[in-house]
Amino acid sequence: MSHDSTAAPEAAARKLSGRRRKEIVAVLLFSGGPIFESSIPLSVFGIDRQDAGVPRYRLLVSAGEEGPLRTTGGLELTAPHGLEAISRAGTVVVPAWRSITSPPPEEALDALRRAHEEGARIVGLCTGAFVLAAAGLLDGRPATTHWMYAPTLAKRYPSVHVDPRELFVDDGDVLTSAGTAAGIDLCLHIVRTDHGNEAAGALARRLVVPPRRSGGQERYLDRSLPEEIGADPLAEVVAWALEHLHEQFDVETLAARAYMSRRTFDRRFRSLTGSAPLQWLITQRVLQAQRLLETSDYSVDEVAGRCGFRSPVALRGHFRRQLGSSPAAYRAAYRARRPQSDKPSDADGAAGASGPPPVLTHEGPGPVPMQTRRTAAASAMGPSTSVSTDPGRSGAERGDRSEHLYAAGRPSLPGQRSAP
């Protein structure tokens, strides 16, 4: 399913101005940017791989501010071009921005706006989305960024439809990606769009990466709320929800605890977090299930009950949609990769079964390494399945698609949203 965007038809109709060339890619660098993200477009678009069947781009590395530019580890970079080089590019890439709390230079924002007005394709990798948003290029559009910064992007720029589930979002003439390695996914997508699957596949082989990655950022989510929530009155309601995930309650219950109508609560929750409360609650229940599958021997049915799902079917549907795997397959993959000495013993499982469910907060679990969790999720990924629509269950358990984490609509290939 293609993403339905009102900006897409306009983007498709726009053409490059006469002085711009489609094959020219300008990469806009700033001081303080991380070197990994910065190097991704330089490697993809700046190396001649025509011998491998990859069409050549012409790369212009441009400084977005006065140099020298300092990057990770104290390295200093000197870009061969300034902002004037952007005027020749058919594609402009902003690989990262140094701080999500600092405004980008106005001269760079003006250059991006002019490039977009003249038909250039504008790309933001990871926190580069903050630069595009500051330039007004994401207003009314779908976009993504690193899941950790997505709530801040949504809160600071409420007109942007931020979706932290996607690896990248292609909205025609403006594209954004999630963090770090997702920048490679988006750059490969650009090559695929320009030159076809064969060229993108050849480039992927050279980079030793998959030509397409399935799944999105869901399996990496750990915290779903910005740190600022601690000073907000809704923090008490959120804390209560996290401590009672083993109970069956819905968003109406949370609204009542906040002494608000459902509509007011939804609006207040979104303005604070950038997230719909229903999808936030589902995500927290799935995270709870993920942790129990890792740290206990509860059956899937027991895990469903201890995470507030009314049935194992509801758990399986939401778990597969968020992590690309069934609960049983996720547990098997996690334990296969975990050292034997770290696996829970039967005694541990029996002891856990008699006690109350663990109290979780959005600060994350205790002893389970996050990297191990990510590896297990990636190994257990399988084809997506639709969630049961049994009318006897609530919207939250049916996987009601009327409320989503940040933006409506999902692609048929998870993690990769494209304009028609």
Side-chain angles (χ1 to χ4, degrees):
M1 179 180 68
S2 298
H3 172 62
D4 182 16
S5 171
T6 56
E10 179 185 352
R14 296 192 318 125
K15 295 183 179 180
L16 285 174
S17 67
R19 61 179 176 173
R20 295 184 180 275
R21 295 292 179 266
K22 183 178 180 180
E23 69 277 6
I24 296 180
V25 177
V27 177
L28 189 58
L29 299 181
F30 296 97
S31 188
I35 194 168
F36 185 91
E37 284 83 351
S38 300
S39 68
I40 289 172
L42 303 183
S43 178
V44 170
F45 301 112
I47 298 177
D48 186 356
R49 298 185 177 91
Q50 294 180 88
D51 61 326
V54 182
R56 185 174 184 178
Y57 290 88
R58 182 181 174 192
L59 180 70
L60 300 178
V61 183
S62 307
E65 56 193 343
E66 291 295 325
L69 309 178
R70 291 175 175 81
T71 184
T72 309
L75 296 176
E76 289 191 354
L77 305 177
T78 301
H81 302 282
L83 288 172
E84 74 285 348
I86 293 180
S87 64
R88 292 178 278 160
T91 299
V92 181
V93 182
V94 183
W97 174 237
R98 59 175 165 262
S99 171
I100 62 174
T101 61
S102 301
E106 191 59 38
E107 295 82 0
L109 299 181
D110 288 339
L112 288 172
R113 295 185 191 108
R114 284 194 300 271
H116 183 254
E117 290 170 358
E118 295 177 359
R121 175 173 52 190
I122 311 298
V123 181
L125 307 183
C126 192
T127 53
F130 283 82
V131 179
L132 273 58
L137 301 182
L138 297 181
D139 289 351
R141 291 177 178 266
T144 193
T145 187
H146 192 294
W147 62 265
M148 187 167 61
Y149 306 125
T152 302
L153 181 64
K155 183 178 180 182
R156 184 166 301 160
Y157 302 100
S159 61
V160 181
H161 307 307
V162 183
D163 190 340
R165 298 168 298 181
E166 308 295 348
L167 291 177
F168 64 79
V169 172
D170 178 349
D171 196 43
D173 57 344
V174 178
L175 303 87
T176 51
S177 81
T180 314
I184 301 176
D185 296 307
L186 180 51
C187 288
L188 283 172
H189 171 75
I190 291 172
V191 174
R192 186 181 302 111
T193 300
D194 291 347
H195 302 291
N197 288 326
E198 188 173 345
L203 176 58
R205 287 192 294 274
R206 277 294 184 96
L207 298 176
V208 198
V209 296
R212 293 179 185 263
R213 279 200 297 163
S214 61
Q217 295 192 80
E218 291 101 332
R219 61 187 180 274
Y220 304 116
L221 293 173
D222 193 30
R223 298 182 61 195
S224 301
L225 295 171
E227 295 179 359
E228 306 92 271
I229 194 173
D232 191 274
L234 280 186
E236 183 177 347
V237 176
V238 170
W240 181 90
L242 291 168
E243 292 174 359
H244 293 79
L245 289 175
H246 57 286
E247 300 177 8
Q248 293 180 12
F249 61 87
D250 52 21
V251 178
E252 282 76 10
T253 302
L254 300 180
R257 292 190 67 87
Y259 302 100
M260 298 178 184
S261 68
R262 172 63 188 271
R263 177 176 296 183
T264 301
F265 181 78
D266 282 6
R267 184 172 62 251
R268 184 75 186 89
F269 196 95
R270 281 179 180 273
S271 68
L272 180 67
T273 70
S275 168
L278 175 60
Q279 189 58 51
W280 176 84
L281 181 58
I282 292 172
T283 299
Q284 295 304 317
R285 293 194 189 281
V286 170
L287 284 171
Q288 170 88 311
Q290 190 179 359
R291 292 158 183 160
L292 288 180
L293 290 167
E294 295 168 357
T295 60
S296 77
D297 287 326
Y298 297 133
S299 68
V300 173
D301 288 14
E302 289 174 314
V303 168
R306 289 173 175 268
C307 297
F309 291 106
R310 296 193 179 185
S311 72
V313 173
L315 167 61
R316 291 186 180 97
H318 290 301
F319 199 95
R320 182 176 289 278
R321 190 171 70 176
Q322 291 197 23
L323 296 175
S325 165
S326 69
Y330 175 85
R331 170 179 273 170
Y334 177 84
R335 292 189 174 181
R337 290 181 173 272
R338 192 176 179 188
Q340 187 68 29
S341 60
D342 291 342
K343 296 179 181 179
S345 65
D346 293 340
D348 292 338
S354 62
V359 175
L360 298 179
T361 70
H362 61 280
E363 294 295 334
V368 183
M370 191 63 193
Q371 184 59 42
T372 306
R373 183 179 305 117
R374 294 172 179 173
T375 302
S379 302
M381 284 196 303
S384 299
T385 58
S386 56
V387 181
S388 171
T389 55
D390 181 355
R393 293 197 304 277
S394 67
E397 294 190 336
R398 290 196 307 267
D400 189 346
R401 293 178 180 265
S402 64
E403 292 189 72
H404 291 278
L405 189 55
Y406 283 71
R410 290 287 285 170
S412 56
L413 183 62
Q416 302 172 13
R417 172 181 292 173
S418 301

